C-alpha cells in the first residue's frame, strides 16, 4: 500500500548503505540454491524486483545474475581443484540446474570449460 510505496520512494533518493551488505550476504547464503533469485532478495529487502535490480547495479555495477554466477563459479573452481567430483555433482553443489548450463557459464566467465580448467590446474609445472 501507500506506506510501502512511501518507504520505497524515500529509498530511491537515499539508498541505505546496508543494502549492499544485505545483497552480498544473500548471494553468499543462497548461491548454492538453484532457486536463488531476484524475487527472494526483493522479499528480503522489502523492495520491488525492479528497485532491487537498480540497487544491485548501483552498488555493484553488474546485474544480479552476474553476481550470482560469479559466486557460483568461484565455488566451482574450489571444488574442481579440491575434489574429483564429476561435473554434474559440482553443478548441483553450486546451484546450477545441470552440468550443461554450468559448463556454459563457466566457459563464459573463465574462457575455458571446467574440465580443461581442472586438467590445466593439475599439471605439474616441474615435471
Amino acid at each position: 500500500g501507500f506506506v510501502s510505496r512511501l518507504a520505497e520512494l524515500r529509498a530511491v533518493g537515499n539508498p541505505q548503505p546496508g543494502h549492499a551488505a544485505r545483497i552480498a550476504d544473500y548471494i553468499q547464503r543462497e548461491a548454492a540454491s538453484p532457486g536463488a533469485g531476484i524475487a527472494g532478495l526483493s522479499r528480503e529487502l522489502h523492495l520491488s524486483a525492479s528497485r532491487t535490480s537498480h540497487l544491485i547495479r548501483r552498488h555493484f555495477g553488474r546485474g544480479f545474475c552476474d553476481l550470482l554466477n560469479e559466486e557460483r563459479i568461484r565455488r566451482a573452481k574450489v571444488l574442481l581443484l579440491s575434489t574429483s567430483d564429476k561435473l554434474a555433482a559440482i553443478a548441483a553443489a553450486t546451484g546450477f540446474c545441470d552440468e550443461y548450463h554450468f559448463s556454459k557459464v563457466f566457459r563464459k566467465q573463465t574462457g575455458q570449460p571446467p574440465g580443461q580448467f581442472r586438467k590445466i590446474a593439475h599439471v605439474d609445472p616441474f615435471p
Side-chain angles (χ1 to χ4, degrees):
F2 174 74
V3 175
S4 64
R5 178 69 178 141
L6 181 61
E8 193 173 82
L9 288 173
R10 285 184 183 153
V12 170
N14 187 18
Q16 298 176 8
H19 280 149
R22 291 175 66 193
I23 291 165
D25 179 62
Y26 177 87
I27 289 173
Q28 285 286 316
R29 216 178 48 244
E30 300 294 327
S33 170
I38 195 82
L41 176 57
S42 297
R43 281 190 301 274
E44 194 167 298
L45 295 175
H46 305 289
L47 298 171
S48 69
S50 63
R51 180 67 188 134
T52 301
S53 293
H54 174 77
L55 283 174
I56 292 168
R57 287 207 180 274
R58 187 173 192 181
H59 286 295
F60 298 97
R62 296 186 305 278
F64 176 80
C65 287
D66 291 338
L67 291 173
L68 184 63
N69 284 335
E70 186 178 290
E71 176 60 21
R72 287 175 171 173
I73 295 303
R74 186 191 65 73
R75 292 176 184 197
K77 285 179 177 179
V78 170
L79 292 174
L80 286 165
L81 298 177
S82 63
T83 71
S84 60
D85 293 351
K86 294 185 181 282
L87 294 184
I90 292 174
T94 54
F96 288 97
C97 56
D98 59 53
E99 68 182 289
Y100 303 106
H101 185 240
F102 163 59
S103 293
K104 180 180 175 183
V105 172
F106 193 96
R107 181 189 296 258
K108 183 179 178 186
Q109 283 197 11
T110 67
Q112 61 188 339
Q116 183 180 2
F117 172 84
R118 177 183 264 169
K119 188 182 294 183
I120 290 172
H122 284 110
V123 171
D124 186 1
F126 307 104

